Amino acid sequence: MKYILLFIILFLISFSSFSQENDEVRYARYSYLNSYHKYYKTTLTKKDSLNFMFRDKDTLVLITKDMQAAGSFVDYVHKDSTFLSYYKKVAFNHKNDSLDHATTMKYWKNDIKLFFAKSVSRKEKKSILKFTENISNKVDSLNIYEAKNHADSNYVIYSSNDYEYEKNLKNIKNADFWIYWNNDNQLNKGFIKINKKKYSRQSLRIEKIKILLFQSLGYFKLSDEFDCNSYLSNCYSESKQITDFDYELLQYHYCYGICKGNSLRTFEAKHEEVQKILSKSDDLYYRFHYPNN
């Protein structure tokens, strides 16, 4: 389902009120008038106009709890420069150790439904599904589970002994994945193929499939900067585990408090813009808007 990513700045203006029943701080949200018509469905009335405020020659509309938003709003998620440096290298799949500002971040919008071909053993499948269950439980907006039938799936895991599900993997000698995405950079179809002659031990096949599956959750670029046991590390290890940083990066990638599906150039420009806005006043906050379409 396609959507257009839009942005809105809402002002957070606080004031205190006192009553004998409770002491509380109430918060009133304001939106610029032109932004209001983009992001809210409720028609403004004469009563609403009585609460208009004016700032820098623009009109601010008081947002009440009764006003219906046309979509959903998600608070901007802040990360420090060190984390963002690692994230950009991984998520924007740079080449030759230099960031390409034209590359885009890719993510799964819909659930990942895994189909296991006949050659994948019960033990292999059980281990992989346990792996994906842990990821789904810890990462919002990312759900991975088994599809019993190939027709109901969007991700196939198979070996050289099976039917050739993806022509681009036909001639691989070891193991690899292949993924597809739409014009919004939303991943929508994936394949993992493993050569059983190369990976004769079951434990090696399981580990390799997990590595490829993790990498394909965002078309991630593996790095030599991480510990060898990390799933984001380019280093070989038979004892990989999802590190705290792996989870943090994956959670950030799938949160909606960042701009989704954009190029690195847009990603950096938006973050710079948000930081400038937030630095002007403690009364400001930033939200991303996602229409329901």
Side-chain angles (χ1 to χ4, degrees):
M1 181 172 60
K2 294 183 178 180
Y3 66 88
I4 301 173
L5 182 62
L6 301 172
F7 303 89
I8 184 169
I9 305 167
L10 298 176
F11 285 84
L12 185 64
I13 303 175
S14 65
F15 60 93
S16 298
S17 66
F18 174 79
S19 72
Q20 293 182 342
E21 295 181 355
N22 55 38
D23 250 331
E24 62 180 2
V25 177
R26 300 177 184 269
Y27 293 95
R29 293 173 182 170
Y30 284 82
S31 170
Y32 285 119
L33 183 59
N34 61 347
S35 294
Y36 177 87
H37 293 302
K38 290 181 181 179
Y39 304 119
Y40 287 89
K41 297 186 292 184
T42 305
T43 302
L44 293 174
T45 65
K46 184 177 181 179
K47 182 179 178 181
D48 294 318
S49 67
L50 298 176
N51 292 315
F52 282 176
M53 292 180 61
F54 301 94
R55 178 177 294 180
D56 299 329
K57 299 181 180 180
D58 282 320
T59 302
L60 292 171
V61 179
L62 174 64
I63 306 302
T64 69
K65 64 180 182 180
D66 298 322
M67 291 175 174
Q68 292 185 330
S72 58
F73 296 97
V74 182
D75 290 341
Y76 167 73
V77 174
H78 172 76
K79 291 290 183 181
D80 62 35
S81 58
T82 301
F83 177 90
L84 289 177
S85 175
Y86 286 129
Y87 174 73
K88 288 186 289 186
K89 292 177 183 179
V90 170
F92 290 91
N93 206 31
H94 66 293
K95 298 179 181 179
N96 301 322
D97 295 323
S98 61
L99 289 170
D100 181 353
H101 285 78
T103 57
T104 55
M105 68 93 81
K106 298 171 178 65
Y107 67 106
W108 291 86
K109 170 69 173 176
N110 297 320
D111 295 353
I112 300 175
K113 294 167 282 189
L114 302 174
F115 175 74
F116 296 90
K118 292 181 179 180
S119 66
V120 181
S121 70
R122 181 176 296 181
K123 183 177 180 180
E124 290 169 338
K125 182 165 68 172
K126 183 178 179 181
S127 180
I128 293 163
L129 288 176
K130 182 63 176 178
F131 176 75
T132 57
E133 181 184 6
N134 290 336
I135 292 174
S136 296
N137 288 337
K138 288 198 173 186
V139 181
D140 290 340
S141 305
L142 179 58
N143 298 306
I144 313 171
Y145 49 85
E146 182 183 8
K148 297 295 184 181
N149 301 309
H150 176 239
D152 298 326
S153 71
N154 57 8
Y155 204 119
V156 179
I157 298 175
Y158 68 108
S159 80
S160 50
N161 297 342
D162 292 305
Y163 168 78
E164 188 62 72
Y165 287 93
E166 171 51 51
K167 61 181 181 180
N168 290 295
L169 296 177
K170 183 177 180 179
N171 297 318
I172 65 164
K173 296 180 180 180
N174 299 315
D176 207 348
F177 72 90
W178 194 274
I179 48 178
Y180 292 87
W181 54 85
N182 60 23
N183 292 333
D184 294 319
N185 292 308
Q186 296 166 355
L187 299 167
N188 52 26
K189 189 163 57 172
F191 302 86
I192 288 176
K193 180 181 178 181
I194 192 159
N195 189 323
K196 279 197 168 184
K197 291 182 179 179
K198 175 67 176 180
Y199 295 90
S200 56
R201 282 198 289 133
Q202 184 172 245
S203 60
L204 290 179
R205 291 197 298 272
I206 291 173
E207 195 54 52
K208 187 62 178 179
I209 290 171
K210 288 179 180 178
I211 292 170
L212 294 173
L213 183 55
F214 192 93
Q215 189 178 357
S216 69
L217 295 180
Y219 197 29
F220 294 140
K221 176 76 172 182
L222 303 184
S223 172
D224 295 326
E225 297 181 69
F226 303 118
D227 183 87
C228 197
N229 288 337
S230 165
Y231 275 97
L232 294 171
S233 173
N234 199 33
C235 171
Y236 174 77
S237 172
E238 291 187 27
S239 56
K240 294 276 188 183
Q241 58 184 344
I242 305 181
T243 66
D244 290 342
F245 182 79
D246 291 346
Y247 270 128
E248 184 181 3
L249 187 140
L250 198 58
Q251 288 164 345
Y252 182 71
H253 192 74
Y254 277 91
C255 78
Y256 278 79
I258 59 173
C259 43
K260 307 289 284 184
N262 294 117
S263 68
L264 176 57
R265 182 178 293 107
T266 300
F267 180 86
E268 290 183 329
K270 280 299 174 185
H271 277 270
E272 183 178 354
E273 175 188 339
V274 174
Q275 290 303 317
K276 285 182 179 179
I277 292 168
L278 296 180
S279 67
K280 293 180 179 179
S281 171
D282 292 336
D283 291 334
L284 293 175
Y285 71 93
Y286 195 97
R287 283 184 162 185
F288 292 93
H289 178 254
Y290 295 89
N292 292 329
N293 58 16

